Amino acid sequence: GAVVSQHPSWVICKSGTSVKIECRSLDFQATTMFWYRQFPKQSLMLMATSNEGSKATYEQGVEKDKFLINHASLTLSTLTVTSAHPEDSSFYICSARGSSGANVLTFGAGSRLTVL
Amino acid sequence: KNEVEQSPQNLTAQEGEFITINCSYSVGISALHWLQQHPGGGIVSLFMLSSGKKKHGRLIATINIQEKHSSLHITASHPRDSAVYICAVGVGADGLTFGKGTHLIIQP
């Protein structure tokens, strides 16, 4: 079946640094990738939608200059948290959709970010 | 914007019990997903439904499009089923809207 690899699974960084999270579709081409964020004891929230080769579409309230999304190829999307602060500490998850169907989504395992 | 409500929020049951988790949503959708999130955070997609009923092992998922309601059932529950179960809905090519999840604990 379809597999999405997300890396790193956890990362700790100092305040003010930037952190990059990768999301790769291993055995299919992901035409669309979604990035979600989950704060402790809260539901997952969609941050942005990225289509290969075009700019990401961000949800209301998500700062596009802070959360840089690049989807340069059909198998890789990256989320870079720039100048991270403790309030950015969260669980970030990607999901990918291939060309097989609009409703078929495969989730990455998630990345837990802790900003000190 | 779709509102997704799940019930119950928390559920503790004994091993072997039949479990039902409910999900209702406010706006018509193209698909509903049931997801399982383990303590480490990783998410597994259990079902994707657009109509009717699906079964996989001890898990059964149903959806009633007219009533905007879905249920996830677990038969012969086991401690390894303990997890957070999340309902998520999607419209067309848009990203998902998630429920807050149901925290399930199955005691031996």
Side-chain angles (χ1 to χ4, degrees):
Chain A
V3 177
V4 171
S5 172
Q6 195 172 333
H7 177 82
S9 55
W10 58 271
V11 57
I12 301 173
C13 70
K14 291 183 179 180
S15 186
T17 61
S18 294
V19 174
K20 181 184 283 188
I21 301 169
E22 292 188 348
C23 181
R24 291 181 187 271
S25 57
L26 297 187
D27 49 3
F28 67 102
Q29 292 186 324
T31 52
T32 304
M33 285 193 175
F34 301 93
W35 287 96
Y36 306 90
R37 178 169 56 183
Q38 184 181 37
F39 292 109
K41 298 187 178 181
Q42 295 190 24
S43 59
L44 284 152
M45 297 292 290
L46 178 65
M47 297 176 67
T49 302
S50 76
N51 293 295
E52 185 265 337
S54 61
K55 288 185 178 180
T57 302
Y58 290 79
E59 295 297 300
Q60 194 171 11
V62 178
E63 301 173 59
K64 62 181 180 181
D65 294 330
K66 181 169 183 63
F67 299 99
L68 302 179
I69 292 173
N70 183 291
H71 191 168
S73 79
L74 283 170
T75 58
L76 174 66
S77 177
T78 61
L79 167 68
T80 301
V81 183
T82 62
S83 186
H85 287 91
E87 58 265 29
D88 298 323
S89 298
S90 185
F91 190 65
Y92 294 87
I93 301 177
C94 70
S95 70
R97 178 168 63 214
S99 57
S100 61
N103 297 321
V104 180
L105 290 172
T106 305
F107 286 83
S111 300
R112 188 165 298 284
L113 170 65
T114 301
V115 184
L116 302 177
Chain B
K1 185 177 162 74
N2 224 328
E3 302 289 334
V4 180
E5 297 286 339
Q6 271 186 251
S7 63
Q9 278 188 294
N10 298 284
L11 178 57
T12 300
Q14 295 299 120
E15 183 173 358
E17 285 188 39
F18 181 80
I19 303 298
T20 296
I21 299 171
N22 296 300
C23 175
S24 61
Y25 51 92
S26 58
V27 178
I29 60 170
S30 55
L32 181 144
H33 299 253
W34 280 103
L35 310 170
Q36 182 189 53
Q37 186 172 29
H38 285 281
I43 287 182
V44 174
S45 179
L46 300 175
F47 294 104
M48 183 196 69
L49 295 163
S50 53
S51 65
K53 176 181 176 178
K54 286 189 176 180
K55 184 176 189 294
H56 186 252
R58 294 182 293 107
L59 301 178
I60 303 166
T62 63
I63 188 169
N64 184 318
I65 297 294
Q66 287 73 29
E67 296 192 0
K68 297 185 177 63
H69 180 270
S70 175
S71 294
L72 175 69
H73 305 287
I74 305 174
T75 62
S77 59
H78 190 275
R80 64 174 175 265
D81 296 326
S82 300
V84 177
Y85 292 83
I86 301 170
C87 169
V89 300
V91 178
D94 293 345
L96 299 177
T97 301
F98 296 84
K100 292 185 177 179
T102 295
H103 190 185
L104 175 65
I105 298 173
I106 303 297
Q107 296 177 333

